[in-house]
Amino acid sequence: MEIAVGAIIPTRTDGLPADAAPEQFSPDVAGAEQRVMTQVEPLRKAQWGAFYAKKHAWAVRKYDTYRRKGPMPKLQDNHPDLYKLCVQVTEVAEYLRKEAQGGVMDAITALVDVTQADALV
């Protein structure tokens, strides 16, 4: 049985499987978590800020459709500039949220690439 396990899962010189995480990381990987956190945290704040901006702009936009009752004034008719602004804020906030989210994913992908490249060496 041990011969079959050795044939399927090659071992390193220290007896651990070849795909096990190294005990000591190279200088490229050491501290990578902190570097990613310092890079990702501003992007996460931007992502959530854009999300909340879109949420509140949408709340103003939906007044006409869902909140207004009977003879209440229609926001789109009485304040068209405000309504157009809310539409634009919704679109810009969604774009900014997606860009920030892409930046977060890129930072994490870069960390994984560095880690895997180091593990192969």
Side-chain angles (χ1 to χ4, degrees):
M1 184 66 157
E2 289 183 27
I3 295 174
V5 170
I8 295 172
I9 304 173
T11 57
R12 301 186 317 196
T13 57
D14 56 3
L16 295 173
D19 60 346
E23 292 182 20
Q24 292 186 356
F25 293 103
S26 72
D28 293 342
V29 179
E33 178 184 359
Q34 185 61 33
R35 288 194 310 264
V36 168
M37 288 304 293
T38 58
Q39 184 179 2
V40 166
E41 194 58 34
L43 293 171
R44 289 185 64 235
K45 287 180 180 179
Q47 181 182 2
W48 283 105
F51 171 77
Y52 287 121
K54 178 184 174 187
K55 179 180 174 182
H56 293 301
W58 183 253
V60 173
R61 284 179 63 188
K62 76 177 187 178
Y63 167 80
D64 284 348
T65 308
Y66 302 108
R67 303 282 177 151
R68 189 178 62 84
K69 304 282 188 223
M72 292 173 69
K74 197 168 188 177
L75 188 63
Q76 193 170 2
D77 295 339
N78 293 340
H79 302 286
D81 293 338
L82 176 64
Y83 188 81
K84 287 178 187 175
L85 178 67
C86 288
V87 170
Q88 292 170 350
V89 166
T90 303
E91 293 171 2
V92 170
E94 180 62 16
Y95 172 78
L96 292 175
R97 185 194 65 78
K98 285 182 180 179
E99 287 295 313
Q101 185 175 0
V104 169
M105 293 305 295
D106 290 344
I108 293 170
T109 302
L111 174 65
V112 170
D113 290 344
V114 167
T115 305
Q116 287 185 353
D118 185 55
L120 295 176
V121 172

